[in-house]
Amino acid sequence: MVHAIAQDAISIRFKYFVWEGKIMKVIIVGGVAGGASCAARLRRLDEKAQIIMVERGPYVSYANCGLPYHIGGVIEKESSLLVASEATFREQFAIDCRTRCEAIKISPKDKTVDLRNVATGEVTTESYDKLVLSPGAPSVRPPLPGIDLPGIFEVRTVPDARAVREWLEKGSLFLAGMHRYSGFQTVRPKTRAVVIGGGFIGLETAENLVHRGFDVTLVEMLDQILAPIDQEMARIVEGYVERHGIRLALNDGVAGFKQGANGTVDVLTKSGKTYPADIVILALGVRPDTALAKSAGLEIGKRGGIRVDEHMRTSNPDIFAVGDAVEVKDFVTGEWSLIALAGPANRQGRIAADVIAGRESRFRGSQGTSIIGFFGGAAAWTGASEKTLKKLGNSDYEKVYLYPNSHAGYYPGAKPIAMKIIFRKSDGRLLGAQALGEDNVDKRISALAMAIQMGATVYDLEEAELCYAPQFGSAKDPVNFAGMVAADVLRGDMPISHWDSADNALLLDVREPVELAVESAPGVVNIPLGQLRARLGELPRDREIRVICRSGQRAYYATRVLLQKGFKARNLAGGMLSRTHADTFWEG
Ligand SMILES: Cc1cc2nc3c(=O)[nH]c(=O)nc-3n(C[C@H](O)[C@H](O)[C@H](O)COP(=O)(O)OP(=O)(O)OC[C@H]3O[C@@H](n4cnc5c(N)ncnc54)[C@H](O)[C@@H]3O)c2cc1C
């Protein structure tokens, strides 16, 4: 009822605009990241336009990125997730915002959309001059046996998170007192959770369940979590989250679910294992919502998203699409890709509004710049991974690993950051970066993301002037350092090799013997850096020498000595840390 009155008030307001002259009528489907930013931007650019924003769910503009933290209790109040309400859109932006209103059909020829009131089922038809689709990407929900059992949840919307919280708080009924021949039902707290999928939603939810005291198993079909990063970097994250209480079951897909005892669910995996759970979280990834677009005959790309041009226009010039539902050009590789991230969705919404309002805005493509936090640590990445380049058959790249401190080592609290930098061999252009650590990982990847977007090379990183005081960074910031290491490689000052390069080089470890006692590669010759100049006679001149240390830094100094003394030497990039990342990195 309240809704109906509000709708009337809006119609009156819009009638007023109609009397002003030529009015553009824009309908926006989807009222969260892409849709809401498009609506608000369009209003800022065009005070006269009639803007209708329809949202199938009960809320607009909510923070889905905060949902795992609401489940964990970090964000205690559900209302904190509601960034702007239907009323905000009406009152501040004069947008006809309709929740529980679903767009069910587009007729491109007539330029109309059929809208269904979710509560009443009533269908109305609205005409449009321009239509914007931002329907997002629902969670993948395969038709597995038992998938609809109670206790199995997704984390995509506010009602999803509410349902999870209610389920967790309810405890589970179980039979007790059987020894007295008088079984009675009682309630015990829920304690075991199985999360399916090791992407960022799965991992964030798993972390939050650990914080709530759950025994958490994360089942992942791939042989690593966080699929966008390279495996050796993912190994570091895996070691870290396991140490903080998440049990990982990699290389194992879920096969189905069975009702267990006392309201529990048994998660059955393809390898034949059974994981009993009081709650199951499905986080198997997302798939672009293209139902409306398909029914309107819009072009769908080969990755399954709505195909748009750089102005976010679909194959129909009066229909735009933004956000998780569209395919975008990968900024680095130029390939079409699906990027389900809030930043691109918001920017695309804004660009679509600009274009509708007659401006020349263009979307540059996406680099997939992302970050995820877990137990005080973080992993962030931008641009192309090595595995993506390999998949594309691109061999014009080189990689370096480095482990700088997050700020000056002498200032308390410095933590190592593990970085992998990927750049073009032919011209030094930065292609991708991945970083993990417990302090200020985000600002390094953000700087590198900007560098990629500006077409920077590793030589530019060497020269980047970044802010520095000891508690924030180093005079040679990790970003500079990354450029210096990579540029040393390209200039030939530091030839490198990798653990997977197959050759019969001599392995020279320049660490101290006590370090080798803890861990060393098989067959190495050990000459500590401090003794190297005196013991050069022990090394062959006709054979390549691969120099190892813990992180690559001492090996670099040794490589420089050897090269200048006429030896054929290469630094083994990243040293022992890049070989055994998972176990040793976080101990610093
Ligand atoms: C739990 C979770 C955590 C996340 N964390 C992060 C993060 O930390 N960082 C990050 O960058 N991204 C994160 N994301 C991804 C980010 O939220 C999305 O990329 C972004 O919201 C996409 O915006 P969108 O507008 O395309 O879709 P959405 O924000 O999903 O909005 C689409 C809306 O359209 C509505 N809709 C669909 N079809 C219709 C229809 N026919 N009629 C009416 N309404 C319709 C849907 O109900 C939905 O509300 C997270 C997502 C989730 C679910």
Side-chain angles (χ1 to χ4, degrees), residues 30 32-34 55-56 64-65 103 134-136 156 200-201 323-324 340-342:
V32 191
E55 166 56 52
R56 177 165 52 196
N64 34 17
C65 309
S134 186
R156 187 178 181 228
F200 66 81
I201 296 176
D324 290 1
L341 288 171

Side-chain angles (χ1 to χ4, degrees), residues 322-356:
V322 301
D324 290 1
V326 304
E327 281 186 9
V328 290
K329 275 279 167 85
D330 183 297
F331 186 78
V332 176
T333 66
E335 298 287 308
W336 287 106
S337 60
L338 295 170
I339 307 267
L341 288 171
N346 275 279
R347 296 201 307 279
Q348 291 161 7
R350 190 179 157 94
I351 288 166
D354 280 3
V355 175
I356 291 170

Side-chain angles (χ1 to χ4, degrees), residues 24-30 38 42 50 52-54 103-109 111-115 126-135 292-293 295-296 298 308 311-314 316-322 352-353 356:
M24 176 165 50
K25 183 172 175 186
V26 181
I27 299 182
I28 298 170
V29 176
C38 180
L42 187 57
Q50 181 181 358
I52 302 175
M53 181 169 78
V54 299
I104 53 171
K105 188 173 156 225
I106 303 169
S107 303
K109 215 166 105 274
K111 294 180 77 171
T112 59
V113 185
D114 288 356
L115 303 175
E126 288 280 355
S127 63
Y128 64 81
D129 296 309
K130 303 286 176 203
L131 175 65
V132 181
L133 303 179
S134 186
L292 266 181
S295 73
L298 303 180
V308 287
H311 302 295
M312 309 314 299
R313 215 179 240 120
T314 67
N316 180 317
D318 293 317
I319 306 179
F320 293 73
V322 301
I356 291 170

